[in-house]
Amino acid sequence: MSVVGARPQFVKLAPIAHACERAGVEHIIVHTGQHYDPMLSDVFFEELNIPAPDEHLGVGSGSHGVQTGAMLAAMDDVILKHEPDWVLVYGDTNSTLAAALSAVKLHFPIAHLEAGLRSFNREMPEEINRVLTDHAADLLLAPTEVAAQHLNEEGLSGRTVVVGDVMTDVLYQTRDAVADKPSPIMEEYGFSEGEYSLATIHRPQNTDTKDQLESVLNSLGSVDHPVVILAHPRLAAKAKEHGLEIARGNLRVHAPLAYPDLVASALHARGVITDSGGLQKEAFLLRTPCTTVRPQTEWVETVEMGWNVLVDSGEELVRAASRPRPDDTDVAPYGDGHAADQVVEVLIKNTKNA
Ligand code: UD1
């Protein structure tokens, strides 16, 4: 049973769903309803050919306590109804933690995909979600050696298997399908290859106070080439609340994109500027330089290899966004694009009474 609810989880679900089909494994999909806008949810199921969810909890927005609590309550019935061999939870969202808590209390085995990532910033809700989920889970599916090392340091090495990164699977497949076409952002704005940067900003640290959000937007507008920001609902809602226009200077605002359009737009961009976790790594895999508006990253390999730079808003951001490309590399810390088959194999091998 896969439990998902937020946009990055739908991307990770796609290769797992397809690997389950290939292996003939019965796969129940539960959607918590954390993300409900069609452009954050339905379009991912359609474009990535994911079967429709078997269960939809319809939880929606709320404070962390309200949202997580509602999912936790609803998950109990769903787990008892289906009695899964494994509850597979993804990443670090409130949906991840709620499903893990429900399963561990009901004594159903939990596997955590993307286990062991750490920012070591306990003010991020995602950091709390991932630490608690790792400690509740029976099987820790780590994407990288660095993640496995973190789990080892927390005494969890006995439950850890390095499987590679499933986002790499879906990214490579999508890249190969879209590589020859101009990106929708190029077509819409008349940009040529490499003329623009693509931005996304949604983290509470960058959006919740007016000063910080204004500073980030001003910096994006001051970059020396066009920047197109894909407005996550949190960004749109917070900008409205603070009375701020998003577009300014060189910054243009665009609705979120479906996954293949996002991949094409990042592939043909000069750079990516983001506070998203997944997009930092996707930029590296597409060999588009990334500027990350955060003090830490979970994907440290991207920084070590010079493809990602961590910045604060202001001059630092503006300078980093127009830096030259680093030297090319063929290092592959995120696996070879076949992680999902390995995940399913490990799950089958570790199923009790199989
Ligand atoms: C969540 C995850 C984050 C992930 C991100 C990807 C947690 C703690 N955070 O953050 O790790 O990177 O998703 O997008 O789980 N909203 C809509 N429509 C929607 C969904 C949300 O308008 O379909 C609005 C909500 O009303 C709220 C805001 O967006 O104002 C935040 O949504 P929420 O799901 O709580 O967290 P995210 O910030 O999206």
PDB file of all heavy atoms in Angstrom, residues 6-8 34-37 40 61-62 64 67 92-95 125-126 129 202-203 232-234 237, ligand 1:
ATOM      1  N   ALA A   6       1.056  14.691  -1.471  1.00  0.00           N
ATOM      2  CA  ALA A   6       1.568  15.978  -1.954  1.00  0.00           C
ATOM      3  C   ALA A   6       2.338  15.769  -3.258  1.00  0.00           C
ATOM      4  O   ALA A   6       2.819  14.671  -3.549  1.00  0.00           O
ATOM      5  CB  ALA A   6       2.475  16.615  -0.901  1.00  0.00           C
ATOM      6  N   ARG A   7       2.459  16.852  -4.000  1.00  0.00           N
ATOM      7  CA  ARG A   7       2.973  16.771  -5.373  1.00  0.00           C
ATOM      8  C   ARG A   7       4.244  15.934  -5.546  1.00  0.00           C
ATOM      9  O   ARG A   7       4.267  15.053  -6.421  1.00  0.00           O
ATOM     10  CB  ARG A   7       3.167  18.202  -5.898  1.00  0.00           C
ATOM     11  CG  ARG A   7       3.707  18.278  -7.285  1.00  0.00           C
ATOM     12  CD  ARG A   7       3.643  19.680  -7.838  1.00  0.00           C
ATOM     13  NE  ARG A   7       4.350  20.641  -6.994  1.00  0.00           N
ATOM     14  CZ  ARG A   7       4.481  21.927  -7.289  1.00  0.00           C
ATOM     15  NH1 ARG A   7       3.930  22.415  -8.387  1.00  0.00           N
ATOM     16  NH2 ARG A   7       5.139  22.737  -6.491  1.00  0.00           N
ATOM     17  N   PRO A   8       5.300  16.157  -4.765  1.00  0.00           N
ATOM     18  CA  PRO A   8       6.510  15.357  -5.031  1.00  0.00           C
ATOM     19  C   PRO A   8       6.293  13.858  -4.828  1.00  0.00           C
ATOM     20  O   PRO A   8       7.014  13.028  -5.399  1.00  0.00           O
ATOM     21  CB  PRO A   8       7.530  15.898  -4.024  1.00  0.00           C
ATOM     22  CG  PRO A   8       6.757  16.685  -3.026  1.00  0.00           C
ATOM     23  CD  PRO A   8       5.495  17.136  -3.688  1.00  0.00           C
ATOM     24  N   GLN A  34      -3.912  15.833   0.746  1.00  0.00           N
ATOM     25  CA  GLN A  34      -3.165  17.027   1.199  1.00  0.00           C
ATOM     26  C   GLN A  34      -3.093  18.069   0.088  1.00  0.00           C
ATOM     27  O   GLN A  34      -3.363  19.238   0.305  1.00  0.00           O
ATOM     28  CB  GLN A  34      -1.757  16.625   1.675  1.00  0.00           C
ATOM     29  CG  GLN A  34      -0.902  17.831   2.055  1.00  0.00           C
ATOM     30  CD  GLN A  34       0.386  17.474   2.780  1.00  0.00           C
ATOM     31  OE1 GLN A  34       0.620  16.325   3.126  1.00  0.00           O
ATOM     32  NE2 GLN A  34       1.226  18.460   3.009  1.00  0.00           N
ATOM     33  N   HIS A  35      -2.718  17.638  -1.104  1.00  0.00           N
ATOM     34  CA  HIS A  35      -2.787  18.531  -2.272  1.00  0.00           C
ATOM     35  C   HIS A  35      -4.005  18.130  -3.098  1.00  0.00           C
ATOM     36  O   HIS A  35      -4.154  16.972  -3.475  1.00  0.00           O
ATOM     37  CB  HIS A  35      -1.508  18.439  -3.108  1.00  0.00           C
ATOM     38  CG  HIS A  35      -0.357  19.174  -2.489  1.00  0.00           C
ATOM     39  ND1 HIS A  35       0.903  19.172  -3.001  1.00  0.00           N
ATOM     40  CD2 HIS A  35      -0.303  19.951  -1.375  1.00  0.00           C
ATOM     41  CE1 HIS A  35       1.699  19.924  -2.231  1.00  0.00           C
ATOM     42  NE2 HIS A  35       0.993  20.391  -1.235  1.00  0.00           N
ATOM     43  N   TYR A  36      -4.850  19.125  -3.370  1.00  0.00           N
ATOM     44  CA  TYR A  36      -6.129  18.840  -4.027  1.00  0.00           C
ATOM     45  C   TYR A  36      -6.315  19.649  -5.297  1.00  0.00           C
ATOM     46  O   TYR A  36      -7.179  19.353  -6.099  1.00  0.00           O
ATOM     47  CB  TYR A  36      -7.296  19.126  -3.053  1.00  0.00           C
ATOM     48  CG  TYR A  36      -7.084  20.413  -2.285  1.00  0.00           C
ATOM     49  CD1 TYR A  36      -7.510  21.630  -2.798  1.00  0.00           C
ATOM     50  CD2 TYR A  36      -6.387  20.399  -1.076  1.00  0.00           C
ATOM     51  CE1 TYR A  36      -7.265  22.805  -2.105  1.00  0.00           C
ATOM     52  CE2 TYR A  36      -6.137  21.574  -0.386  1.00  0.00           C
ATOM     53  CZ  TYR A  36      -6.573  22.774  -0.905  1.00  0.00           C
ATOM     54  OH  TYR A  36      -6.315  23.935  -0.236  1.00  0.00           O
ATOM     55  N   ASP A  37      -5.511  20.730  -5.499  1.00  0.00           N
ATOM     56  CA  ASP A  37      -5.649  21.480  -6.753  1.00  0.00           C
ATOM     57  C   ASP A  37      -5.317  20.543  -7.912  1.00  0.00           C
ATOM     58  O   ASP A  37      -4.318  19.815  -7.849  1.00  0.00           O
ATOM     59  CB  ASP A  37      -4.665  22.661  -6.790  1.00  0.00           C
ATOM     60  CG  ASP A  37      -5.140  23.841  -5.950  1.00  0.00           C
ATOM     61  OD1 ASP A  37      -6.310  23.815  -5.524  1.00  0.00           O
ATOM     62  OD2 ASP A  37      -4.346  24.766  -5.727  1.00  0.00           O
ATOM     63  N   LEU A  40      -1.780  20.393  -9.017  1.00  0.00           N
ATOM     64  CA  LEU A  40      -0.812  19.796  -8.082  1.00  0.00           C
ATOM     65  C   LEU A  40      -1.049  18.301  -7.930  1.00  0.00           C
ATOM     66  O   LEU A  40      -0.257  17.609  -7.311  1.00  0.00           O
ATOM     67  CB  LEU A  40      -0.930  20.438  -6.685  1.00  0.00           C
ATOM     68  CG  LEU A  40      -0.563  21.901  -6.488  1.00  0.00           C
ATOM     69  CD1 LEU A  40      -0.401  22.211  -5.011  1.00  0.00           C
ATOM     70  CD2 LEU A  40       0.703  22.277  -7.224  1.00  0.00           C
ATOM     71  N   SER A  61      -6.412  21.142   3.374  1.00  0.00           N
ATOM     72  CA  SER A  61      -5.501  22.016   4.120  1.00  0.00           C
ATOM     73  C   SER A  61      -5.887  22.142   5.577  1.00  0.00           C
ATOM     74  O   SER A  61      -6.996  21.793   5.972  1.00  0.00           O
ATOM     75  CB  SER A  61      -5.503  23.418   3.514  1.00  0.00           C
ATOM     76  OG  SER A  61      -5.161  23.363   2.172  1.00  0.00           O
ATOM     77  N   GLY A  62      -4.985  22.703   6.360  1.00  0.00           N
ATOM     78  CA  GLY A  62      -5.235  22.971   7.773  1.00  0.00           C
ATOM     79  C   GLY A  62      -3.910  23.198   8.458  1.00  0.00           C
ATOM     80  O   GLY A  62      -2.861  23.050   7.829  1.00  0.00           O
ATOM     81  N   HIS A  64      -0.766  22.202  10.849  1.00  0.00           N
ATOM     82  CA  HIS A  64      -0.083  20.897  10.823  1.00  0.00           C
ATOM     83  C   HIS A  64      -0.805  19.876  11.689  1.00  0.00           C
ATOM     84  O   HIS A  64      -0.985  18.723  11.295  1.00  0.00           O
ATOM     85  CB  HIS A  64       1.379  21.047  11.266  1.00  0.00           C
ATOM     86  CG  HIS A  64       2.226  21.663  10.211  1.00  0.00           C
ATOM     87  ND1 HIS A  64       2.927  20.927   9.302  1.00  0.00           N
ATOM     88  CD2 HIS A  64       2.435  22.955   9.898  1.00  0.00           C
ATOM     89  CE1 HIS A  64       3.552  21.740   8.462  1.00  0.00           C
ATOM     90  NE2 HIS A  64       3.265  22.981   8.807  1.00  0.00           N
ATOM     91  N   GLN A  67      -4.215  18.930  10.018  1.00  0.00           N
ATOM     92  CA  GLN A  67      -4.023  18.154   8.783  1.00  0.00           C
ATOM     93  C   GLN A  67      -3.483  16.752   9.100  1.00  0.00           C
ATOM     94  O   GLN A  67      -4.020  15.736   8.648  1.00  0.00           O
ATOM     95  CB  GLN A  67      -3.042  18.911   7.877  1.00  0.00           C
ATOM     96  CG  GLN A  67      -2.890  18.326   6.499  1.00  0.00           C
ATOM     97  CD  GLN A  67      -1.904  19.139   5.652  1.00  0.00           C
ATOM     98  OE1 GLN A  67      -0.753  19.324   6.041  1.00  0.00           O
ATOM     99  NE2 GLN A  67      -2.367  19.618   4.502  1.00  0.00           N
ATOM    100  N   ASP A  92       8.810  13.207   3.079  1.00  0.00           N
ATOM    101  CA  ASP A  92       8.847  13.943   4.352  1.00  0.00           C
ATOM    102  C   ASP A  92       7.650  14.846   4.609  1.00  0.00           C
ATOM    103  O   ASP A  92       7.771  15.838   5.318  1.00  0.00           O
ATOM    104  CB  ASP A  92      10.123  14.794   4.378  1.00  0.00           C
ATOM    105  CG  ASP A  92      10.206  15.731   3.177  1.00  0.00           C
ATOM    106  OD1 ASP A  92       9.164  16.017   2.569  1.00  0.00           O
ATOM    107  OD2 ASP A  92      11.320  16.163   2.847  1.00  0.00           O
ATOM    108  N   THR A  93       6.519  14.559   4.026  1.00  0.00           N
ATOM    109  CA  THR A  93       5.391  15.475   4.225  1.00  0.00           C
ATOM    110  C   THR A  93       4.528  15.028   5.409  1.00  0.00           C
ATOM    111  O   THR A  93       4.745  13.976   6.002  1.00  0.00           O
ATOM    112  CB  THR A  93       4.500  15.545   2.975  1.00  0.00           C
ATOM    113  OG1 THR A  93       3.764  14.319   2.892  1.00  0.00           O
ATOM    114  CG2 THR A  93       5.312  15.745   1.702  1.00  0.00           C
ATOM    115  N   ASN A  94       3.520  15.838   5.704  1.00  0.00           N
ATOM    116  CA  ASN A  94       2.596  15.453   6.770  1.00  0.00           C
ATOM    117  C   ASN A  94       1.886  14.137   6.435  1.00  0.00           C
ATOM    118  O   ASN A  94       1.560  13.359   7.333  1.00  0.00           O
ATOM    119  CB  ASN A  94       1.576  16.576   7.000  1.00  0.00           C
ATOM    120  CG  ASN A  94       2.241  17.811   7.601  1.00  0.00           C
ATOM    121  OD1 ASN A  94       3.338  17.725   8.158  1.00  0.00           O
ATOM    122  ND2 ASN A  94       1.584  18.957   7.493  1.00  0.00           N
ATOM    123  N   SER A  95       1.655  13.875   5.157  1.00  0.00           N
ATOM    124  CA  SER A  95       1.041  12.610   4.739  1.00  0.00           C
ATOM    125  C   SER A  95       1.939  11.426   5.098  1.00  0.00           C
ATOM    126  O   SER A  95       1.455  10.353   5.494  1.00  0.00           O
ATOM    127  CB  SER A  95       0.795  12.592   3.218  1.00  0.00           C
ATOM    128  OG  SER A  95      -0.087  13.628   2.850  1.00  0.00           O
ATOM    129  N   PRO A 125       9.311  21.658   9.086  1.00  0.00           N
ATOM    130  CA  PRO A 125       8.386  20.573   9.392  1.00  0.00           C
ATOM    131  C   PRO A 125       8.815  19.267   8.719  1.00  0.00           C
ATOM    132  O   PRO A 125       8.640  18.185   9.275  1.00  0.00           O
ATOM    133  CB  PRO A 125       7.033  21.056   8.839  1.00  0.00           C
ATOM    134  CG  PRO A 125       7.333  22.215   7.945  1.00  0.00           C
ATOM    135  CD  PRO A 125       8.640  22.791   8.418  1.00  0.00           C
ATOM    136  N   GLU A 126       9.435  19.387   7.536  1.00  0.00           N
ATOM    137  CA  GLU A 126       9.851  18.176   6.802  1.00  0.00           C
ATOM    138  C   GLU A 126      10.934  17.410   7.567  1.00  0.00           C
ATOM    139  O   GLU A 126      10.998  16.186   7.482  1.00  0.00           O
ATOM    140  CB  GLU A 126      10.382  18.541   5.402  1.00  0.00           C
ATOM    141  CG  GLU A 126       9.324  19.075   4.453  1.00  0.00           C
ATOM    142  CD  GLU A 126       8.988  20.544   4.674  1.00  0.00           C
ATOM    143  OE1 GLU A 126       9.673  21.206   5.511  1.00  0.00           O
ATOM    144  OE2 GLU A 126       8.038  21.032   4.033  1.00  0.00           O
ATOM    145  N   ASN A 129       9.235  15.429  10.224  1.00  0.00           N
ATOM    146  CA  ASN A 129       8.505  14.324   9.590  1.00  0.00           C
ATOM    147  C   ASN A 129       9.447  13.182   9.200  1.00  0.00           C
ATOM    148  O   ASN A 129       9.144  12.003   9.411  1.00  0.00           O
ATOM    149  CB  ASN A 129       7.762  14.816   8.342  1.00  0.00           C
ATOM    150  CG  ASN A 129       6.574  15.709   8.679  1.00  0.00           C
ATOM    151  OD1 ASN A 129       6.075  15.700   9.807  1.00  0.00           O
ATOM    152  ND2 ASN A 129       6.120  16.498   7.717  1.00  0.00           N
ATOM    153  N   HIS A 202       8.401  28.080  -2.143  1.00  0.00           N
ATOM    154  CA  HIS A 202       7.179  27.816  -1.375  1.00  0.00           C
ATOM    155  C   HIS A 202       7.412  27.533   0.105  1.00  0.00           C
ATOM    156  O   HIS A 202       6.462  27.471   0.869  1.00  0.00           O
ATOM    157  CB  HIS A 202       6.397  26.646  -1.997  1.00  0.00           C
ATOM    158  CG  HIS A 202       6.978  25.300  -1.671  1.00  0.00           C
ATOM    159  ND1 HIS A 202       8.075  24.797  -2.313  1.00  0.00           N
ATOM    160  CD2 HIS A 202       6.622  24.370  -0.751  1.00  0.00           C
ATOM    161  CE1 HIS A 202       8.378  23.619  -1.823  1.00  0.00           C
ATOM    162  NE2 HIS A 202       7.521  23.322  -0.859  1.00  0.00           N
ATOM    163  N   ARG A 203       8.647  27.339   0.537  1.00  0.00           N
ATOM    164  CA  ARG A 203       8.910  26.970   1.933  1.00  0.00           C
ATOM    165  C   ARG A 203       8.417  28.044   2.895  1.00  0.00           C
ATOM    166  O   ARG A 203       8.566  29.245   2.610  1.00  0.00           O
ATOM    167  CB  ARG A 203      10.417  26.821   2.166  1.00  0.00           C
ATOM    168  CG  ARG A 203      11.038  25.717   1.400  1.00  0.00           C
ATOM    169  CD  ARG A 203      11.020  24.420   2.148  1.00  0.00           C
ATOM    170  NE  ARG A 203      11.404  23.372   1.245  1.00  0.00           N
ATOM    171  CZ  ARG A 203      10.907  22.138   1.272  1.00  0.00           C
ATOM    172  NH1 ARG A 203      10.021  21.802   2.165  1.00  0.00           N
ATOM    173  NH2 ARG A 203      11.302  21.250   0.409  1.00  0.00           N
ATOM    174  N   HIS A 232       3.520  28.200  -6.643  1.00  0.00           N
ATOM    175  CA  HIS A 232       2.895  27.212  -5.745  1.00  0.00           C
ATOM    176  C   HIS A 232       1.761  27.920  -4.986  1.00  0.00           C
ATOM    177  O   HIS A 232       1.853  29.111  -4.695  1.00  0.00           O
ATOM    178  CB  HIS A 232       3.987  26.743  -4.780  1.00  0.00           C
ATOM    179  CG  HIS A 232       3.580  25.649  -3.828  1.00  0.00           C
ATOM    180  ND1 HIS A 232       2.816  25.892  -2.710  1.00  0.00           N
ATOM    181  CD2 HIS A 232       3.853  24.326  -3.821  1.00  0.00           C
ATOM    182  CE1 HIS A 232       2.637  24.744  -2.060  1.00  0.00           C
ATOM    183  NE2 HIS A 232       3.253  23.782  -2.711  1.00  0.00           N
ATOM    184  N   PRO A 233       0.683  27.175  -4.641  1.00  0.00           N
ATOM    185  CA  PRO A 233      -0.438  27.814  -3.927  1.00  0.00           C
ATOM    186  C   PRO A 233      -0.020  28.535  -2.650  1.00  0.00           C
ATOM    187  O   PRO A 233      -0.568  29.575  -2.312  1.00  0.00           O
ATOM    188  CB  PRO A 233      -1.361  26.651  -3.585  1.00  0.00           C
ATOM    189  CG  PRO A 233      -0.998  25.544  -4.495  1.00  0.00           C
ATOM    190  CD  PRO A 233       0.415  25.770  -4.938  1.00  0.00           C
ATOM    191  N   ARG A 234       1.001  27.984  -1.935  1.00  0.00           N
ATOM    192  CA  ARG A 234       1.438  28.673  -0.713  1.00  0.00           C
ATOM    193  C   ARG A 234       2.018  30.041  -1.049  1.00  0.00           C
ATOM    194  O   ARG A 234       1.763  31.024  -0.361  1.00  0.00           O
ATOM    195  CB  ARG A 234       2.483  27.848   0.041  1.00  0.00           C
ATOM    196  CG  ARG A 234       3.079  28.601   1.218  1.00  0.00           C
ATOM    197  CD  ARG A 234       4.280  27.879   1.774  1.00  0.00           C
ATOM    198  NE  ARG A 234       3.899  26.805   2.645  1.00  0.00           N
ATOM    199  CZ  ARG A 234       3.499  26.985   3.906  1.00  0.00           C
ATOM    200  NH1 ARG A 234       3.403  28.203   4.407  1.00  0.00           N
ATOM    201  NH2 ARG A 234       3.181  25.958   4.644  1.00  0.00           N
ATOM    202  N   ALA A 237      -0.853  32.393  -2.032  1.00  0.00           N
ATOM    203  CA  ALA A 237      -1.670  32.766  -0.864  1.00  0.00           C
ATOM    204  C   ALA A 237      -0.912  33.732   0.033  1.00  0.00           C
ATOM    205  O   ALA A 237      -1.481  34.732   0.518  1.00  0.00           O
ATOM    206  CB  ALA A 237      -2.042  31.501  -0.087  1.00  0.00           C
TER     207      ALA A 237
HETATM  208  C1  UD1 B   1       3.992  20.312   1.239  1.00  0.00           C
HETATM  209  C2  UD1 B   1       5.045  19.553   2.037  1.00  0.00           C
HETATM  210  C3  UD1 B   1       6.419  19.879   1.454  1.00  0.00           C
HETATM  211  C4  UD1 B   1       6.470  19.682  -0.048  1.00  0.00           C
HETATM  212  C5  UD1 B   1       5.355  20.470  -0.700  1.00  0.00           C
HETATM  213  C6  UD1 B   1       5.346  20.266  -2.202  1.00  0.00           C
HETATM  214  C7  UD1 B   1       4.490  19.227   4.415  1.00  0.00           C
HETATM  215  C8  UD1 B   1       4.808  19.665   5.788  1.00  0.00           C
HETATM  216  N1  UD1 B   1       5.073  19.970   3.417  1.00  0.00           N
HETATM  217  O1  UD1 B   1       4.156  21.695   1.520  1.00  0.00           O
HETATM  218  O2  UD1 B   1       7.381  19.037   2.059  1.00  0.00           O
HETATM  219  O3  UD1 B   1       7.711  20.161  -0.553  1.00  0.00           O
HETATM  220  O4  UD1 B   1       4.111  20.054  -0.133  1.00  0.00           O
HETATM  221  O5  UD1 B   1       4.428  21.053  -2.840  1.00  0.00           O
HETATM  222  O6  UD1 B   1       3.771  18.282   4.226  1.00  0.00           O
HETATM  223  N2  UD1 B   1      -2.844  24.488  -1.000  1.00  0.00           N
HETATM  224  C9  UD1 B   1      -3.684  24.759  -2.066  1.00  0.00           C
HETATM  225  N3  UD1 B   1      -3.985  23.746  -2.912  1.00  0.00           N
HETATM  226  C10 UD1 B   1      -3.478  22.509  -2.773  1.00  0.00           C
HETATM  227  C11 UD1 B   1      -2.625  22.237  -1.680  1.00  0.00           C
HETATM  228  C12 UD1 B   1      -2.311  23.240  -0.806  1.00  0.00           C
HETATM  229  O7  UD1 B   1      -4.155  25.863  -2.239  1.00  0.00           O
HETATM  230  O8  UD1 B   1      -3.779  21.630  -3.592  1.00  0.00           O
HETATM  231  C13 UD1 B   1      -2.489  25.560  -0.068  1.00  0.00           C
HETATM  232  C14 UD1 B   1      -2.994  25.302   1.333  1.00  0.00           C
HETATM  233  O9  UD1 B   1      -4.258  25.778   1.530  1.00  0.00           O
HETATM  234  C15 UD1 B   1      -1.940  26.006   2.167  1.00  0.00           C
HETATM  235  C16 UD1 B   1      -0.661  25.845   1.361  1.00  0.00           C
HETATM  236  O10 UD1 B   1      -1.072  25.583   0.042  1.00  0.00           O
HETATM  237  O11 UD1 B   1      -2.216  27.392   2.256  1.00  0.00           O
HETATM  238  C17 UD1 B   1       0.246  24.814   1.936  1.00  0.00           C
HETATM  239  O12 UD1 B   1      -0.158  23.467   1.640  1.00  0.00           O
HETATM  240  P1  UD1 B   1       0.373  22.191   2.488  1.00  0.00           P
HETATM  241  O13 UD1 B   1      -0.016  20.956   1.822  1.00  0.00           O
HETATM  242  O14 UD1 B   1       0.013  22.356   3.906  1.00  0.00           O
HETATM  243  O15 UD1 B   1       1.952  22.260   2.457  1.00  0.00           O
HETATM  244  P2  UD1 B   1       2.945  22.720   1.301  1.00  0.00           P
HETATM  245  O16 UD1 B   1       3.453  24.052   1.675  1.00  0.00           O
HETATM  246  O17 UD1 B   1       2.382  22.514  -0.063  1.00  0.00           O
END
